[in-house]
Protein backbone atom coordinates (compact mmCIF):
# COMPACT_ATOMS: atom_id res chain seq x y z
CA UNK A 1 0.00 0.00 0.00
CA UNK A 2 1.41 3.40 -0.94
CA UNK A 3 1.25 6.53 1.15
CA UNK A 4 -1.21 9.23 0.29
CA UNK A 5 0.59 12.15 -1.34
CA UNK A 6 1.24 15.17 0.88
CA UNK A 7 -0.30 18.13 -0.94
CA UNK A 8 0.49 20.89 1.55
CA UNK A 9 2.61 23.50 -0.23
CA UNK A 10 4.50 24.66 2.88
CA UNK A 11 5.40 21.11 3.98
CA UNK A 12 6.64 20.32 0.47
CA UNK A 13 8.58 23.59 0.42
CA UNK A 14 10.47 22.87 3.60
CA UNK A 15 11.12 19.28 2.59
CA UNK A 16 12.59 20.46 -0.75
CA UNK A 17 14.76 23.04 1.01
CA UNK A 18 16.03 20.43 3.47
CA UNK A 19 16.56 17.82 0.73
CA UNK A 20 18.52 20.23 -1.48
CA UNK A 21 20.50 21.74 1.43
CA UNK A 22 21.63 18.28 2.56
CA UNK A 23 23.03 17.81 -0.93
CA UNK A 24 24.91 21.12 -0.91
CA UNK A 25 22.35 23.15 -2.87
CA UNK A 26 21.13 26.43 -1.40
CA UNK A 27 17.56 27.48 -2.11
CA UNK A 28 16.22 31.00 -2.44
CA UNK A 29 12.51 31.73 -2.60
CA UNK A 30 12.75 32.39 -6.36
CA UNK A 31 14.38 29.00 -6.89
CA UNK A 32 11.85 27.34 -4.57
CA UNK A 33 8.92 28.83 -6.52
CA UNK A 34 10.19 27.41 -9.80
CA UNK A 35 11.07 24.04 -8.24
CA UNK A 36 7.56 23.76 -6.80
CA UNK A 37 6.13 24.58 -10.22
CA UNK A 38 8.21 21.82 -11.81
CA UNK A 39 7.45 19.43 -8.94
CA UNK A 40 3.79 19.77 -9.72
CA UNK A 41 4.55 19.21 -13.42
CA UNK A 42 6.37 15.97 -12.58
CA UNK A 43 3.47 14.88 -10.39
CA UNK A 44 0.93 15.68 -13.12
CA UNK A 45 2.94 13.77 -15.73
CA UNK A 46 3.35 10.67 -13.60
CA UNK A 47 -0.28 10.52 -12.48
CA UNK A 48 -2.78 9.64 -15.13
CA UNK A 49 -5.73 10.94 -13.14
CA UNK A 50 -6.55 14.58 -13.59
CA UNK A 51 -5.48 15.36 -10.04
CA UNK A 52 -3.17 18.16 -9.12
CA UNK A 53 -0.50 18.20 -6.48
CA UNK A 54 -1.31 21.64 -5.10
CA UNK A 55 -4.63 23.43 -4.74
CA UNK A 56 -2.76 26.72 -5.07
CA UNK A 57 -2.45 28.18 -8.54
CA UNK A 58 0.81 29.30 -10.11
CA UNK A 59 0.88 32.82 -11.56
CA UNK A 60 3.22 34.49 -14.00
CA UNK A 61 5.66 36.93 -12.45
CA UNK A 62 8.81 38.47 -13.95
CA UNK A 63 11.12 35.74 -12.59
CA UNK A 64 8.84 32.85 -13.36
CA UNK A 65 5.87 30.95 -12.01
CA UNK A 66 4.96 31.74 -8.39
CA UNK A 67 2.35 30.87 -5.82
CA UNK A 68 1.04 33.62 -3.57
CA UNK A 69 1.50 31.58 -0.39
CA UNK A 70 5.24 31.06 -1.00
CA UNK A 71 5.64 34.69 -2.03
CA UNK A 72 3.99 35.70 1.24
CA UNK A 73 6.04 33.33 3.43
CA UNK A 74 9.56 33.68 1.98
CA UNK A 75 11.67 36.63 0.80
CA UNK A 76 12.72 36.43 -2.87
CA UNK A 77 16.51 36.38 -2.73
CA UNK A 78 17.20 35.27 0.80
CA UNK A 79 18.43 31.73 1.31
CA UNK A 80 15.74 29.75 3.06
CA UNK A 81 16.79 28.13 6.29
CA UNK A 82 16.47 24.40 6.30
CA UNK A 83 13.79 23.00 8.56
CA UNK A 84 13.76 19.25 9.05
CA UNK A 85 10.33 18.10 8.03
CA UNK A 86 9.59 14.52 7.21
CA UNK A 87 7.28 13.59 4.39
CA UNK A 88 5.95 10.32 3.05
CA UNK A 89 7.45 7.92 0.49
CA UNK A 90 5.25 9.20 -2.32
CA UNK A 91 6.43 12.78 -1.93
CA UNK A 92 10.04 11.69 -1.54
CA UNK A 93 9.80 9.87 -4.88
CA UNK A 94 8.69 13.03 -6.70
CA UNK A 95 11.21 15.25 -4.93
CA UNK A 96 14.04 12.81 -5.74
CA UNK A 97 12.99 12.95 -9.41
CA UNK A 98 12.92 16.75 -9.22
CA UNK A 99 16.44 16.77 -7.78
CA UNK A 100 17.72 14.33 -10.42
CA UNK A 101 16.29 16.45 -13.24
CA UNK A 102 16.94 19.97 -11.95
CA UNK A 103 19.03 19.76 -8.78
CA UNK A 104 22.23 21.05 -10.34
CA UNK A 105 20.60 24.06 -12.00
CA UNK A 106 21.15 27.54 -10.62
CA UNK A 107 18.29 29.92 -9.95
CA UNK A 108 19.17 31.77 -13.17
CA UNK A 109 19.10 28.53 -15.19
CA UNK A 110 15.71 27.59 -13.73
CA UNK A 111 14.33 31.05 -14.53
CA UNK A 112 15.66 30.67 -18.08
CA UNK A 113 14.06 27.23 -18.36
CA UNK A 114 10.69 28.53 -17.17
CA UNK A 115 10.95 31.39 -19.70
CA UNK A 116 11.65 29.29 -22.78
CA UNK A 117 9.76 30.13 -25.92
CA UNK A 118 6.20 28.73 -25.95
CA UNK A 119 6.33 27.92 -22.23
CA UNK A 120 3.11 28.33 -20.25
CA UNK A 121 4.80 31.24 -18.44
CA UNK A 122 5.34 33.02 -21.77
CA UNK A 123 1.80 32.33 -22.99
CA UNK A 124 0.16 33.88 -19.90
CA UNK A 125 1.94 37.18 -19.20
CA UNK A 126 1.07 39.69 -16.52
CA UNK A 127 0.16 37.80 -13.34
CA UNK A 128 -2.21 35.36 -15.02
CA UNK A 129 -2.92 31.88 -13.71
CA UNK A 130 -0.86 29.27 -15.53
CA UNK A 131 -3.13 26.35 -16.50
CA UNK A 132 -1.91 23.12 -14.93
CA UNK A 133 -2.63 21.02 -18.03
CA UNK A 134 -0.47 23.34 -20.15
CA UNK A 135 2.34 23.00 -17.63
CA UNK A 136 2.06 19.21 -17.69
CA UNK A 137 2.13 18.99 -21.49
CA UNK A 138 4.92 21.53 -21.97
CA UNK A 139 7.20 20.07 -19.29
CA UNK A 140 6.59 16.51 -20.51
CA UNK A 141 7.58 17.49 -24.04
CA UNK A 142 10.53 19.57 -22.83
CA UNK A 143 12.18 16.82 -20.82
CA UNK A 144 10.67 13.84 -22.63
CA UNK A 145 9.30 12.44 -19.38
CA UNK A 146 7.21 9.32 -19.83
CA UNK A 147 3.59 9.66 -18.80
Amino acid sequence: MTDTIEKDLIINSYYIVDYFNKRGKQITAVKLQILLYFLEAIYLIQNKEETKLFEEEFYTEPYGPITKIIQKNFKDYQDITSKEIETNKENKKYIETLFQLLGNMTTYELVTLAHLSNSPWEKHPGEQIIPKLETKNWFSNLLKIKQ
Side-chain angles (χ1 to χ4, degrees):
M1 184 169 145
T2 59
D3 293 331
T4 302
I5 194 78
E6 174 59 63
K7 293 186 173 215
D8 184 276
L9 193 60
I10 298 295
I11 290 172
N12 278 283
S13 296
Y14 277 116
Y15 188 80
I16 288 170
V17 170
D18 187 52
Y19 189 91
F20 276 61
N21 282 183
K22 285 180 178 174
R23 287 152 184 81
K25 307 295 180 187
Q26 288 300 113
I27 302 283
T28 62
V30 170
K31 188 172 188 174
L32 178 60
Q33 292 273 22
I34 297 170
L35 287 171
L36 287 165
Y37 174 70
F38 288 136
L39 177 64
E40 181 161 67
I42 291 166
Y43 176 81
L44 290 166
I45 290 164
Q46 294 182 348
N47 286 279
K48 301 238 183 272
E49 306 91 40
E50 291 301 316
T51 61
K52 50 191 172 185
L53 180 56
F54 304 121
E55 289 302 317
E56 292 81 6
E57 300 291 349
F58 285 88
Y59 295 84
T60 53
E61 286 283 325
Y63 293 109
I66 63 114
T67 65
K68 306 282 184 183
I69 192 168
I70 297 302
Q71 186 178 43
K72 181 178 164 185
N73 284 279
F74 301 103
K75 296 197 187 293
D76 287 340
Y77 294 104
Q78 191 174 23
D79 285 345
I80 300 171
T81 306
S82 193
K83 189 187 250 188
E84 283 204 36
I85 288 183
E86 207 37 56
T87 193
N88 62 42
K89 290 180 200 174
E90 286 293 305
N91 285 67
K92 288 178 182 178
K93 177 179 79 172
Y94 295 109
I95 292 170
E96 287 169 9
T97 300
L98 177 73
F99 186 81
Q100 290 169 3
L101 292 172
L102 305 172
N104 289 319
M105 295 182 83
T106 65
T107 301
Y108 177 78
E109 290 169 328
L110 288 169
V111 168
T112 301
L113 180 62
H115 291 182
L116 288 176
S117 181
N118 292 318
S119 71
W121 177 87
E122 183 188 64
K123 291 179 178 180
H124 301 279
E127 297 185 31
Q128 290 186 44
I129 292 175
I130 301 172
K132 292 178 186 283
L133 184 58
E134 282 185 38
T135 298
K136 173 185 176 178
N137 293 336
W138 175 78
F139 196 68
S140 176
N141 289 331
L142 178 70
L143 295 179
K144 307 291 187 249
I145 298 175
K146 292 183 180 181
Q147 297 189 37

